[in-house]
Amino acid sequence: YRSPSFFTSLAPEKGLNYEIGTRGELFRKRLNFDVALFSFQLQDVIVRSVNAAGIEVFNNAGLTKQQGVEISLNAFIINNKSSFVNNLRAFTTFTYNDFKFTDFVAENQNFSGKRLPGTPQNVWITGFDVENRNGIYLNSTLNFTDKIWLNNANTFSADAYWLLAARMGYKVKFNHFGLDLYAGGDNLLNQIYSLGNDFNAVGNRFFNPAASRNFYAGLNFLLY
């Protein structure tokens, strides 16, 4: 058992956020979109590190500037209960992050201008959902995550990776209940990546392993 630790020297974070965005619908609500731009200046941001004993340590990092853009699109290509394929939806989201230290000096090192560890610069997620009138469906998602800096000096990074997931199933309805039989897989491209990095870790022990290509199956009982 490890007793709780209190970092009495930590100052509270203080920030000011500016955001502007728009959302709307086109083509008789077949296409929905969201766009948002943000700029967030955060003072005394709390930065996590891990010491030689594996204990988390937190320090204030001066001033940071976090700005970027978020875009989301949803396209309802087919929505017709009488057709063989009665539902087909495609979607995509994109996020651009420009997160940097603007004033941060620690242990006689100046990290001003360096990118914040833990935040990928680009994240793109896209996929589709399709279902036919017989109850057969398929959901698929592709996720791109850009490289992630692992320390304040930006000398170590985790490589970018692509994650592909898919799930196929069959739904059948009996009066007031139904069954959903499904099977799927994650990391179908068998990417090597770290799930949950330890930032600013002593001895460069940044990485935690993630599962390789894996599969699952299940059965859900549905109530109507």
Side-chain angles (χ1 to χ4, degrees), residues 172-189:
V172 59
K173 184 178 179 180
F174 307 97
N175 295 325
H176 298 296
F177 75 96
L179 298 175
D180 176 14
L181 177 65
Y182 61 88
D186 291 320
N187 193 11
L188 296 177
L189 301 178

Side-chain angles (χ1 to χ4, degrees), residues 54-224:
I55 299 174
E56 293 179 317
V57 179
F58 299 90
N59 295 286
N60 291 110
L63 185 64
T64 67
K65 189 173 184 180
Q66 306 175 25
Q67 56 189 8
V69 59
E70 298 174 343
I71 302 172
S72 174
L73 298 172
N74 277 282
F76 298 91
I77 301 171
I78 299 176
N79 187 9
N80 186 347
K81 293 184 179 180
S82 62
S83 64
F84 178 72
V85 176
N86 54 25
N87 187 5
L88 174 59
R89 180 180 75 100
F91 59 89
T92 188
T93 62
F94 174 75
T95 303
Y96 172 77
N97 299 309
D98 185 18
F99 291 9
K100 293 181 179 179
F101 296 113
T102 55
D103 182 15
F104 179 30
V105 178
E107 298 179 354
N108 297 321
Q109 295 187 68
N110 190 347
F111 300 115
S112 302
K114 301 294 185 181
R115 295 192 178 275
L116 268 68
T119 304
Q121 188 169 15
N122 299 287
V123 178
W124 177 52
I125 301 173
T126 190
F128 68 88
D129 302 322
V130 60
E131 184 176 359
N132 76 358
R133 63 189 179 192
N134 296 325
I136 299 173
Y137 65 89
L138 173 64
N139 310 123
S140 182
T141 303
L142 179 65
N143 180 327
F144 169 75
T145 299
D146 211 345
K147 73 176 182 180
I148 300 173
W149 293 110
L150 300 173
N151 60 347
N152 295 337
N154 292 176
T155 53
F156 291 92
S157 65
D159 293 337
Y161 56 86
W162 296 81
L163 294 181
L164 176 62
R167 169 171 164 166
M168 189 172 185
Y170 173 64
K171 292 180 181 179
V172 59
K173 184 178 179 180
F174 307 97
N175 295 325
H176 298 296
F177 75 96
L179 298 175
D180 176 14
L181 177 65
Y182 61 88
D186 291 320
N187 193 11
L188 296 177
L189 301 178
N190 207 29
Q191 298 282 280
I192 298 175
Y193 71 106
S194 175
L195 185 63
N197 301 293
D198 290 329
F199 305 109
N200 297 305
V202 170
N204 303 329
R205 299 194 299 264
F206 304 111
F207 304 103
N208 292 294
S212 58
R213 185 185 292 119
N214 59 95
F215 302 92
Y216 59 88
L219 177 65
N220 288 329
F221 291 90
L222 309 173
L223 296 177
Y224 296 101

